Amino acid sequence: MTVLLIGGAYQGKSALARALYPDLEKVANLHLLVKETLRAGGDPASLLAGLRGKCVTCDELGCGVVPLDGADDKWREQTGRLCCALAAEADAVARVVAGVPLFIKGDAPCM
């Protein structure tokens, strides 16, 4: 099972991942992995294969505001594109606000 949890910083994505998906391997802060990949000259799309079968958390970046710095703009775009690709394949996608998930795709697991 592949799960993507998105939302603003410090909204409880990691805690929710642990509570709802205790048996899945976690990948926290996908947005930071994308930044590291770009800094190393890599292609963030190459991360997709390693995210399958995991519970992935990612901060929303920019909220539609285009950064002035070109590198930050590329980071925001590449993070968004990777999240779109992951969401297309994921079994469940939820936006987390104040620790509460809104499932956009799939259902919440039974607790």
Short mmCIF file of all heavy atoms in Angstrom, two decimals, residues 16-70:
data_model
loop_
_atom_site.label_atom_id
_atom_site.label_comp_id
_atom_site.label_asym_id
_atom_site.label_seq_id
_atom_site.Cartn_x
_atom_site.Cartn_y
_atom_site.Cartn_z
N LEU A 16 0.09 11.37 12.43
CA LEU A 16 -1.02 10.68 11.80
C LEU A 16 -0.53 9.46 11.02
O LEU A 16 -1.14 8.39 11.07
CB LEU A 16 -1.76 11.64 10.87
CG LEU A 16 -3.13 11.18 10.41
CD1 LEU A 16 -4.09 11.09 11.58
CD2 LEU A 16 -3.66 12.12 9.36
N ALA A 17 0.60 9.60 10.35
CA ALA A 17 1.18 8.47 9.63
C ALA A 17 1.47 7.31 10.58
O ALA A 17 1.17 6.15 10.27
CB ALA A 17 2.45 8.90 8.90
N ARG A 18 2.05 7.64 11.73
CA ARG A 18 2.35 6.60 12.72
C ARG A 18 1.08 5.96 13.27
O ARG A 18 1.02 4.75 13.47
CB ARG A 18 3.19 7.17 13.85
CG ARG A 18 4.62 7.49 13.46
CD ARG A 18 5.48 7.87 14.66
NE ARG A 18 4.99 9.02 15.38
CZ ARG A 18 5.29 10.30 15.09
NH1 ARG A 18 6.09 10.57 14.07
NH2 ARG A 18 4.81 11.29 15.81
N ALA A 19 0.04 6.76 13.50
CA ALA A 19 -1.20 6.25 14.09
C ALA A 19 -2.02 5.42 13.09
O ALA A 19 -2.54 4.36 13.45
CB ALA A 19 -2.04 7.41 14.62
N LEU A 20 -2.13 5.90 11.86
CA LEU A 20 -2.99 5.23 10.88
C LEU A 20 -2.30 4.09 10.14
O LEU A 20 -2.96 3.15 9.70
CB LEU A 20 -3.50 6.24 9.86
CG LEU A 20 -4.46 7.32 10.36
CD1 LEU A 20 -4.88 8.23 9.21
CD2 LEU A 20 -5.67 6.71 11.05
N TYR A 21 -0.99 4.19 9.99
CA TYR A 21 -0.26 3.22 9.17
C TYR A 21 0.98 2.71 9.91
O TYR A 21 2.10 2.87 9.45
CB TYR A 21 0.13 3.85 7.83
CG TYR A 21 -1.06 4.36 7.07
CD1 TYR A 21 -1.38 5.72 7.09
CD2 TYR A 21 -1.86 3.49 6.35
CE1 TYR A 21 -2.49 6.19 6.41
CE2 TYR A 21 -2.97 3.95 5.67
CZ TYR A 21 -3.28 5.30 5.70
OH TYR A 21 -4.38 5.77 5.03
N PRO A 22 0.77 2.06 11.08
CA PRO A 22 1.93 1.64 11.89
C PRO A 22 2.80 0.59 11.21
O PRO A 22 3.98 0.49 11.51
CB PRO A 22 1.29 1.08 13.16
CG PRO A 22 -0.10 0.70 12.76
CD PRO A 22 -0.49 1.67 11.69
N ASP A 23 2.24 -0.17 10.28
CA ASP A 23 3.00 -1.25 9.65
C ASP A 23 3.72 -0.83 8.36
O ASP A 23 4.48 -1.61 7.81
CB ASP A 23 2.08 -2.43 9.33
CG ASP A 23 1.51 -3.04 10.60
OD1 ASP A 23 2.16 -2.95 11.66
OD2 ASP A 23 0.39 -3.60 10.54
N LEU A 24 3.47 0.40 7.90
CA LEU A 24 4.13 0.87 6.68
C LEU A 24 5.42 1.62 7.02
O LEU A 24 5.47 2.36 8.00
CB LEU A 24 3.22 1.83 5.90
CG LEU A 24 2.10 1.24 5.07
CD1 LEU A 24 1.34 2.35 4.35
CD2 LEU A 24 2.61 0.24 4.06
N GLU A 25 6.42 1.42 6.18
CA GLU A 25 7.64 2.22 6.31
C GLU A 25 7.30 3.68 6.01
O GLU A 25 6.51 3.97 5.11
CB GLU A 25 8.69 1.72 5.33
CG GLU A 25 10.02 2.45 5.44
CD GLU A 25 11.05 1.94 4.46
OE1 GLU A 25 10.90 0.82 3.94
OE2 GLU A 25 12.02 2.69 4.21
N LYS A 26 7.88 4.59 6.77
CA LYS A 26 7.59 6.02 6.61
C LYS A 26 8.71 6.73 5.85
O LYS A 26 9.88 6.45 6.05
CB LYS A 26 7.44 6.71 7.97
CG LYS A 26 6.55 6.02 8.99
CD LYS A 26 5.13 5.81 8.54
CE LYS A 26 4.27 5.18 9.60
NZ LYS A 26 4.38 3.76 9.76
N VAL A 27 8.30 7.66 4.99
CA VAL A 27 9.23 8.58 4.34
C VAL A 27 8.72 9.97 4.69
O VAL A 27 7.68 10.41 4.19
CB VAL A 27 9.28 8.40 2.81
CG1 VAL A 27 10.18 9.46 2.18
CG2 VAL A 27 9.76 7.00 2.46
N ALA A 28 9.42 10.64 5.59
CA ALA A 28 8.99 11.96 6.06
C ALA A 28 9.64 13.06 5.23
O ALA A 28 10.76 12.92 4.75
CB ALA A 28 9.35 12.14 7.53
N ASN A 29 8.90 14.14 5.08
CA ASN A 29 9.43 15.37 4.46
C ASN A 29 9.93 15.16 3.04
O ASN A 29 11.07 15.49 2.71
CB ASN A 29 10.54 15.96 5.33
CG ASN A 29 10.03 16.30 6.72
OD1 ASN A 29 8.96 16.89 6.87
ND2 ASN A 29 10.78 15.91 7.72
N LEU A 30 9.06 14.67 2.19
CA LEU A 30 9.42 14.46 0.79
C LEU A 30 9.95 15.74 0.16
O LEU A 30 10.87 15.70 -0.65
CB LEU A 30 8.21 13.94 0.00
CG LEU A 30 8.43 13.69 -1.49
CD1 LEU A 30 9.52 12.65 -1.70
CD2 LEU A 30 7.13 13.29 -2.15
N HIS A 31 9.40 16.87 0.55
CA HIS A 31 9.85 18.16 -0.02
C HIS A 31 11.34 18.40 0.24
O HIS A 31 12.03 18.96 -0.61
CB HIS A 31 9.01 19.31 0.53
CG HIS A 31 9.02 19.42 2.02
ND1 HIS A 31 8.39 18.52 2.85
CD2 HIS A 31 9.62 20.32 2.83
CE1 HIS A 31 8.59 18.86 4.11
NE2 HIS A 31 9.33 19.95 4.13
N LEU A 32 11.85 17.93 1.37
CA LEU A 32 13.27 18.09 1.67
C LEU A 32 14.12 17.09 0.86
O LEU A 32 15.24 17.42 0.45
CB LEU A 32 13.54 17.94 3.16
CG LEU A 32 12.86 19.00 4.05
CD1 LEU A 32 13.17 18.74 5.52
CD2 LEU A 32 13.27 20.40 3.64
N LEU A 33 13.60 15.90 0.63
CA LEU A 33 14.30 14.94 -0.22
C LEU A 33 14.42 15.47 -1.65
O LEU A 33 15.46 15.30 -2.30
CB LEU A 33 13.58 13.60 -0.23
CG LEU A 33 13.59 12.81 1.08
CD1 LEU A 33 12.72 11.58 0.94
CD2 LEU A 33 15.00 12.42 1.46
N VAL A 34 13.38 16.14 -2.12
CA VAL A 34 13.42 16.74 -3.45
C VAL A 34 14.49 17.83 -3.49
O VAL A 34 15.28 17.91 -4.44
CB VAL A 34 12.04 17.30 -3.86
CG1 VAL A 34 12.14 18.14 -5.12
CG2 VAL A 34 11.04 16.16 -4.04
N LYS A 35 14.53 18.66 -2.45
CA LYS A 35 15.53 19.73 -2.41
C LYS A 35 16.95 19.16 -2.43
O LYS A 35 17.81 19.65 -3.16
CB LYS A 35 15.33 20.60 -1.16
CG LYS A 35 16.28 21.79 -1.09
CD LYS A 35 15.99 22.66 0.12
CE LYS A 35 15.16 23.83 -0.35
NZ LYS A 35 15.02 24.87 0.68
N GLU A 36 17.20 18.12 -1.64
CA GLU A 36 18.53 17.49 -1.61
C GLU A 36 18.89 16.89 -2.97
O GLU A 36 20.03 16.99 -3.42
CB GLU A 36 18.57 16.38 -0.55
CG GLU A 36 18.50 16.89 0.87
CD GLU A 36 18.32 15.77 1.89
OE1 GLU A 36 18.52 14.59 1.54
OE2 GLU A 36 17.98 16.09 3.04
N THR A 37 17.90 16.28 -3.61
CA THR A 37 18.13 15.67 -4.93
C THR A 37 18.49 16.73 -5.96
O THR A 37 19.42 16.55 -6.76
CB THR A 37 16.88 14.88 -5.37
OG1 THR A 37 16.61 13.87 -4.39
CG2 THR A 37 17.09 14.23 -6.72
N LEU A 38 17.77 17.85 -5.94
CA LEU A 38 18.07 18.94 -6.87
C LEU A 38 19.45 19.53 -6.62
O LEU A 38 20.20 19.80 -7.56
CB LEU A 38 17.00 20.03 -6.78
CG LEU A 38 15.64 19.68 -7.37
CD1 LEU A 38 14.61 20.73 -6.99
CD2 LEU A 38 15.73 19.53 -8.88
N ARG A 39 19.81 19.71 -5.35
CA ARG A 39 21.14 20.26 -5.00
C ARG A 39 22.25 19.35 -5.49
O ARG A 39 23.33 19.82 -5.86
CB ARG A 39 21.26 20.46 -3.50
CG ARG A 39 20.57 21.68 -3.01
CD ARG A 39 20.88 21.92 -1.55
NE ARG A 39 20.15 23.08 -1.08
CZ ARG A 39 19.82 23.31 0.17
NH1 ARG A 39 20.18 22.44 1.11
NH2 ARG A 39 19.15 24.38 0.51
N ALA A 40 21.99 18.04 -5.50
CA ALA A 40 22.99 17.08 -5.95
C ALA A 40 22.98 16.91 -7.47
O ALA A 40 23.76 16.13 -8.01
CB ALA A 40 22.74 15.73 -5.29
N GLY A 41 22.09 17.65 -8.15
CA GLY A 41 22.04 17.58 -9.60
C GLY A 41 21.20 16.43 -10.13
O GLY A 41 21.26 16.11 -11.32
N GLY A 42 20.43 15.80 -9.25
CA GLY A 42 19.62 14.66 -9.66
C GLY A 42 18.24 15.05 -10.14
O GLY A 42 17.83 16.22 -10.07
N ASP A 43 17.50 14.07 -10.61
CA ASP A 43 16.14 14.24 -11.08
C ASP A 43 15.18 13.73 -10.01
O ASP A 43 15.17 12.53 -9.71
CB ASP A 43 15.94 13.47 -12.38
CG ASP A 43 14.53 13.58 -12.93
OD1 ASP A 43 13.71 14.34 -12.39
OD2 ASP A 43 14.25 12.88 -13.92
N PRO A 44 14.37 14.60 -9.42
CA PRO A 44 13.44 14.17 -8.36
C PRO A 44 12.48 13.07 -8.80
O PRO A 44 12.04 12.27 -7.97
CB PRO A 44 12.69 15.44 -8.00
CG PRO A 44 13.64 16.54 -8.34
CD PRO A 44 14.35 16.06 -9.58
N ALA A 45 12.17 13.00 -10.09
CA ALA A 45 11.27 11.93 -10.57
C ALA A 45 11.86 10.55 -10.29
O ALA A 45 11.12 9.58 -10.17
CB ALA A 45 11.00 12.12 -12.06
N SER A 46 13.18 10.47 -10.17
CA SER A 46 13.82 9.19 -9.89
C SER A 46 13.50 8.67 -8.49
O SER A 46 13.75 7.50 -8.19
CB SER A 46 15.33 9.31 -10.07
OG SER A 46 15.89 10.15 -9.07
N LEU A 47 12.95 9.52 -7.63
CA LEU A 47 12.59 9.12 -6.27
C LEU A 47 11.31 8.28 -6.24
O LEU A 47 11.07 7.56 -5.27
CB LEU A 47 12.40 10.34 -5.38
CG LEU A 47 13.62 11.24 -5.15
CD1 LEU A 47 13.21 12.52 -4.44
CD2 LEU A 47 14.68 10.50 -4.37
N LEU A 48 10.50 8.39 -7.28
CA LEU A 48 9.17 7.77 -7.27
C LEU A 48 9.22 6.27 -6.97
O LEU A 48 8.46 5.79 -6.13
CB LEU A 48 8.46 8.03 -8.60
CG LEU A 48 7.03 7.51 -8.71
CD1 LEU A 48 6.13 8.13 -7.65
CD2 LEU A 48 6.47 7.78 -10.09
N ALA A 49 10.09 5.55 -7.61
CA ALA A 49 10.14 4.09 -7.41
C ALA A 49 10.39 3.73 -5.95
O ALA A 49 9.81 2.77 -5.43
CB ALA A 49 11.21 3.48 -8.30
N GLY A 50 11.21 4.50 -5.25
CA GLY A 50 11.53 4.22 -3.86
C GLY A 50 10.44 4.61 -2.88
O GLY A 50 10.52 4.29 -1.70
N LEU A 51 9.41 5.28 -3.36
CA LEU A 51 8.31 5.72 -2.49
C LEU A 51 7.14 4.74 -2.49
O LEU A 51 6.29 4.80 -1.61
CB LEU A 51 7.82 7.10 -2.93
CG LEU A 51 8.87 8.21 -2.90
CD1 LEU A 51 8.31 9.49 -3.51
CD2 LEU A 51 9.37 8.45 -1.49
N ARG A 52 7.14 3.85 -3.45
CA ARG A 52 6.04 2.88 -3.55
C ARG A 52 6.04 1.94 -2.35
O ARG A 52 7.09 1.49 -1.91
CB ARG A 52 6.17 2.10 -4.85
CG ARG A 52 5.94 2.97 -6.07
CD ARG A 52 6.07 2.20 -7.36
NE ARG A 52 5.90 3.08 -8.49
CZ ARG A 52 6.78 3.26 -9.45
NH1 ARG A 52 7.92 2.58 -9.45
NH2 ARG A 52 6.54 4.10 -10.44
N GLY A 53 4.85 1.68 -1.84
CA GLY A 53 4.72 0.78 -0.70
C GLY A 53 5.03 1.42 0.64
O GLY A 53 5.19 0.73 1.63
N LYS A 54 5.08 2.75 0.67
CA LYS A 54 5.43 3.47 1.90
C LYS A 54 4.37 4.53 2.21
O LYS A 54 3.54 4.87 1.37
CB LYS A 54 6.79 4.12 1.74
CG LYS A 54 7.89 3.10 1.52
CD LYS A 54 9.23 3.72 1.38
CE LYS A 54 10.26 2.61 1.34
NZ LYS A 54 10.97 2.51 0.11
N CYS A 55 4.43 5.04 3.41
CA CYS A 55 3.60 6.17 3.82
C CYS A 55 4.49 7.42 3.77
O CYS A 55 5.45 7.53 4.52
CB CYS A 55 3.04 5.96 5.22
SG CYS A 55 1.94 7.29 5.74
N VAL A 56 4.15 8.33 2.88
CA VAL A 56 4.99 9.49 2.57
C VAL A 56 4.31 10.76 3.06
O VAL A 56 3.12 10.96 2.81
CB VAL A 56 5.23 9.59 1.05
CG1 VAL A 56 6.09 10.79 0.71
CG2 VAL A 56 5.83 8.30 0.52
N THR A 57 5.07 11.62 3.76
CA THR A 57 4.55 12.92 4.14
C THR A 57 5.29 14.01 3.37
O THR A 57 6.47 13.88 3.08
CB THR A 57 4.70 13.20 5.65
OG1 THR A 57 6.08 13.27 5.99
CG2 THR A 57 3.99 12.14 6.48
N CYS A 58 4.55 15.06 3.02
CA CYS A 58 5.14 16.17 2.28
C CYS A 58 4.43 17.47 2.64
O CYS A 58 3.21 17.52 2.67
CB CYS A 58 5.02 15.91 0.78
SG CYS A 58 5.87 17.14 -0.24
N ASP A 59 5.23 18.49 2.92
CA ASP A 59 4.67 19.82 3.17
C ASP A 59 4.19 20.43 1.86
O ASP A 59 4.82 20.26 0.82
CB ASP A 59 5.71 20.76 3.78
CG ASP A 59 5.95 20.51 5.25
OD1 ASP A 59 5.36 19.57 5.81
OD2 ASP A 59 6.75 21.26 5.83
N GLU A 60 3.09 21.18 1.93
CA GLU A 60 2.67 21.99 0.79
C GLU A 60 3.60 23.18 0.72
O GLU A 60 3.95 23.77 1.74
CB GLU A 60 1.23 22.44 0.99
CG GLU A 60 0.26 21.28 0.95
CD GLU A 60 -1.17 21.70 1.22
OE1 GLU A 60 -1.39 22.73 1.90
OE2 GLU A 60 -2.07 20.98 0.77
N LEU A 61 4.00 23.54 -0.48
CA LEU A 61 4.98 24.61 -0.66
C LEU A 61 4.36 25.79 -1.38
O LEU A 61 3.80 25.62 -2.46
CB LEU A 61 6.19 24.12 -1.46
CG LEU A 61 6.95 22.94 -0.87
CD1 LEU A 61 8.04 22.49 -1.83
CD2 LEU A 61 7.54 23.30 0.47
N GLY A 62 4.49 26.96 -0.80
CA GLY A 62 4.16 28.19 -1.48
C GLY A 62 2.72 28.60 -1.52
O GLY A 62 2.43 29.77 -1.66
N CYS A 63 1.79 27.68 -1.44
CA CYS A 63 0.36 27.99 -1.52
C CYS A 63 0.04 28.88 -2.72
O CYS A 63 -0.73 29.83 -2.62
CB CYS A 63 -0.12 28.62 -0.22
SG CYS A 63 0.00 27.51 1.18
N GLY A 64 0.67 28.59 -3.86
CA GLY A 64 0.40 29.33 -5.08
C GLY A 64 1.28 30.54 -5.30
O GLY A 64 1.25 31.15 -6.36
N VAL A 65 2.09 30.91 -4.32
CA VAL A 65 2.98 32.06 -4.46
C VAL A 65 4.25 31.59 -5.16
O VAL A 65 4.91 30.66 -4.72
CB VAL A 65 3.32 32.67 -3.08
CG1 VAL A 65 4.32 33.80 -3.23
CG2 VAL A 65 2.06 33.14 -2.38
N VAL A 66 4.58 32.23 -6.28
CA VAL A 66 5.77 31.86 -7.03
C VAL A 66 6.99 32.52 -6.39
O VAL A 66 7.04 33.74 -6.26
CB VAL A 66 5.66 32.30 -8.51
CG1 VAL A 66 6.92 31.94 -9.28
CG2 VAL A 66 4.44 31.65 -9.15
N PRO A 67 7.97 31.72 -5.96
CA PRO A 67 9.17 32.29 -5.34
C PRO A 67 9.97 33.16 -6.32
O PRO A 67 9.99 32.89 -7.52
CB PRO A 67 9.99 31.06 -4.94
CG PRO A 67 9.04 29.92 -4.95
CD PRO A 67 8.00 30.26 -5.98
N LEU A 68 10.62 34.18 -5.80
CA LEU A 68 11.46 35.03 -6.63
C LEU A 68 12.72 34.31 -7.08
O LEU A 68 13.20 34.52 -8.19
CB LEU A 68 11.83 36.31 -5.87
CG LEU A 68 10.68 37.27 -5.58
CD1 LEU A 68 11.17 38.42 -4.71
CD2 LEU A 68 10.07 37.79 -6.86
N ASP A 69 13.26 33.47 -6.22
CA ASP A 69 14.48 32.74 -6.53
C ASP A 69 14.16 31.57 -7.47
O ASP A 69 13.26 30.77 -7.20
CB ASP A 69 15.10 32.23 -5.23
CG ASP A 69 16.38 31.46 -5.47
OD1 ASP A 69 17.32 32.06 -6.02
OD2 ASP A 69 16.43 30.27 -5.10
N GLY A 70 14.90 31.48 -8.56
CA GLY A 70 14.67 30.44 -9.55
C GLY A 70 14.83 29.03 -9.00
O GLY A 70 14.08 28.13 -9.36
#
